């Protein structure tokens, strides 16, 4: 079983990297791009004997306590088959 | 007094801090390795600048799980003096010993320069040698030094007189020009500027020494 954890800055936290990417895209003529936020993606592989519920529980805990800093970031856990 | 200077893999201001308190101030100091779960008989702890564990994941995010941080948390909970400088400040906010977070500088650049700091309170073991409003010349060197916290937390820091230093000219976008903060017990300080790099005549400024002389005075009062 595989999982993905997405971590991104909260909407209230300034994202200067996303802004820089957005202005670079505007400079290249992509007028369709209104806004960019940059984040992180973690691709995680679970050991074969792990069941779905406990995997989800562990991943939520790991995302909250390690992968994201809840002061500035939010996260989303996705279990893949 | 005896300072303990914690050394993480990737610390690079540990020797500067050691030099500042021993050679410049005539105090004792010893290094404490990150995988030690004891601090020994130190009177104060310095978490130095650098790039602990490569600053992987987020600055200070891996360091907070190191064995020595368990001992530092206990030391701080018992009222011990803990000063986190630059990466040390990032480790303290990641560990929850100080509020807020430190994110990428607003201008995206790594800022390495000497600048001016205002002492925002003299009521702390780290600033008692200064007067409120004193201006110190101290260098910064960081890419992730933009201090952010919820408005509610910033209001609380101001109401409780827990902002230790402010930038005269904000180099990184920090909210309310915050360069250093105190915990509620006032025994834990985090600051992005490097006082240990302004502690020797060769460095062009001695203003950083006041942070360490304040700690020596505070520790003497305790004994």
């Amino acid at each position: 079983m595989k999982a993905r954890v997405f971590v991104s800055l909260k909407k209230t936290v300034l994202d200067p990297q996303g802004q820089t990417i957005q202005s670079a895209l505007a400079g290249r003529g992509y007028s369709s791009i209104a806004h960019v936020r940059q984040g992180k993606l973690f691709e995680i592989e679970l050991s074969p004997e792990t069941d779905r519920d406990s995997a989800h529980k562990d991943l939520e805990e790991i995302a909250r306590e390690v992968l994201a800093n809840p002061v500035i970031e939010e996260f989303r856990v996705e279990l893949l088959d | 007094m005896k300072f303990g200077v914690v050394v993480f893999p990737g610390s690079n201001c540990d020797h500067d801090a050691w030099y500042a308190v021993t050679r410049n101030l005539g105090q004792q100091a010893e290094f404490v390795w990150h995988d030690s779960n004891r601090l020994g008989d130190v009177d104060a702890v310095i978490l130095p600048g650098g790039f602990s564990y490569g600053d992987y994941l987020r600055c200070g995010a891996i360091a907070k799980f190191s064995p020595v941080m368990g001992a530092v948390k206990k030391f701080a909970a018992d009222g011990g003096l803990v000063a986190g400088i630059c990466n040390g400040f990032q480790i303290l906010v990641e560990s929850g010993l100080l509020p807020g977070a430190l994110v990428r500088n607003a201008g995206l650049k790594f800022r390495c320069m000497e600048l001016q700091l205002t002492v925002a309170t003299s009521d702390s073991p780290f600033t008692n040698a200064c007067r409120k409003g004193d201006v110190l010349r101290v260098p910064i060197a960081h890419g992730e030094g933009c201090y952010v916290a919820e408005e509610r937390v910033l209001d609380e820091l101001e109401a409780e007189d827990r902002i230790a230093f402010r930038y005269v000219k904000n180099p990184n976008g920090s909210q309310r020009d915050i360069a250093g903060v105190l915990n509620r017990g006032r025994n834990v300080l985090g600051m992005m500027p490097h006082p240990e790099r302004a502690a020797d005549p060769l460095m062009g400024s001695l203003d950083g020494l006041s942070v360490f002389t304040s700690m020596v005075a505070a520790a003497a009062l305790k004994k």
Side-chain angles (χ1 to χ4, degrees), chain B residues 32-39 67-69 71:
Chain B
V32 184
W33 187 231
H34 69 113
D35 68 359
S36 164
N37 52 21
R38 296 179 56 248
L39 290 168
V68 77
M69 284 310 294

Side-chain angles (χ1 to χ4, degrees), chain B residues 154-170:
Chain B
L154 296 169
D155 290 343
E156 190 178 285
L157 287 173
E158 284 181 345
E160 295 175 359
D161 194 26
R162 285 166 53 195
I163 297 170
F165 301 103
R166 290 185 200 263
Y167 300 109
V168 171
K169 189 164 174 269
N170 194 332

Side-chain angles (χ1 to χ4, degrees), chain B:
Chain B
M1 73 182 280
K2 192 197 267 184
F3 287 84
V5 180
V6 176
V7 185
F8 298 97
S11 294
N12 63 12
C13 302
D14 42 346
H15 284 264
D16 306 52
W18 182 90
Y19 193 97
V21 296
T22 57
R23 300 298 168 84
N24 297 123
L25 222 56
Q27 303 296 320
Q28 289 180 286
E30 64 182 38
F31 293 111
V32 184
W33 187 231
H34 69 113
D35 68 359
S36 164
N37 52 21
R38 296 179 56 248
L39 290 168
D41 59 345
V42 301
D43 303 298
V45 173
I46 297 175
L47 301 182
F51 301 85
S52 56
Y53 301 90
D55 273 351
Y56 295 160
L57 189 58
R58 292 179 309 277
C59 303
I62 309 289
K64 76 173 161 185
F65 297 116
S66 62
V68 77
M69 284 310 294
V72 170
K73 278 185 179 173
K74 186 172 182 311
F75 184 76
D78 293 341
L81 299 183
V82 178
I85 299 166
C86 198
N87 193 226
F89 185 11
Q90 294 165 336
I91 295 167
L92 289 173
V93 290
E94 277 285 341
S95 307
L97 285 169
L98 290 173
L102 291 149
V103 299
R104 184 64 67 96
N105 293 347
L108 285 177
K109 286 194 174 125
F110 188 97
R111 304 299 304 269
C112 184
M113 64 208 276
E114 187 185 270
L115 48 60
Q116 293 186 320
L117 293 181
T118 311
V119 176
T121 180
S122 59
D123 178 22
S124 87
F126 310 94
T127 53
N128 61 43
C130 309
R131 277 167 310 184
K132 184 177 175 169
D134 279 357
V135 175
L136 311 179
R137 284 193 305 128
V138 178
I140 58 161
H142 59 249
E144 282 95 356
C146 175
Y147 185 78
V148 296
E150 288 175 37
E151 287 296 308
R152 173 183 63 78
V153 174
L154 296 169
D155 290 343
E156 190 178 285
L157 287 173
E158 284 181 345
E160 295 175 359
D161 194 26
R162 285 166 53 195
I163 297 170
F165 301 103
R166 290 185 200 263
Y167 300 109
V168 171
K169 189 164 174 269
N170 194 332
N172 54 26
S174 288
Q175 290 178 325
R176 304 195 192 181
D177 301 326
I178 290 172
V181 297
L182 299 158
N183 69 338
R184 188 162 278 138
R186 310 186 86 73
N187 62 311
V188 178
L189 165 79
M191 64 187 294
M192 285 314 293
H194 286 274
E196 81 284 9
R197 295 191 193 174
D200 190 277
L202 267 179
M203 307 302 284
S205 170
L206 290 171
D207 292 356
L209 270 183
S210 57
V211 172
F212 307 112
T213 52
S214 296
M215 291 173 76
V216 173
L221 272 180
K222 255 183 155 177
K223 276 188 176 169

